[in-house]
Amino acid sequence: MNLIAQHPYFKVERTVTGTEQFEIEHDRIIYLYNDKVVTQNREFPINIVMDFSYRKIANQGGILYLHTLQGVYTYIVKSSPEAFINAYRAYFK
């Protein structure tokens, strides 16, 4: 298990009380290994990963898409994951 690349993403947790709404950002990292992709709550064997893509959202970062045989998973990022995607494509395609 060799680490090839990693990229930060975040998850927003919304909490509503009787009078207020709070948003808490949880910083996380997606890891690309030679045999799997690992996030905070999931692990994907590399043989089910088909590709990654990225869509920029105005000046707020964007969304990293992980395309798998089980579906598409989204991760909100603050900076471009181009280097991460290029590392995946160079190593596996």
Side-chain angles (χ1 to χ4, degrees), residues 51-64:
D51 201 5
F52 286 91
S53 61
Y54 171 66
R55 175 166 287 185
K56 187 175 180 178
I57 299 176
N59 294 327
Q60 303 173 358
I63 300 174
L64 173 65

Side-chain angles (χ1 to χ4, degrees), residues 9 12 14-15 21 23-24 28 37 40 45 60 77-80 91:
Y9 70 98
V12 176
R14 290 183 177 87
T15 305
Q21 177 176 323
E23 289 187 356
I24 302 168
R28 299 178 176 174
V37 175
Q40 177 80 24
Q60 303 173 358
V77 296
K78 292 182 180 178
S79 61
S80 172
Y91 197 85

Side-chain angles (χ1 to χ4, degrees), residues 35-39 42-49 66 68 70 73 75:
D35 61 341
K36 62 186 170 183
V37 175
V38 178
T39 66
R42 291 191 173 95
E43 202 170 287
F44 303 92
I46 205 67
N47 63 339
I48 71 160
V49 175
L66 168 55
T68 74
Q70 299 172 340
Y73 296 83
Y75 300 94

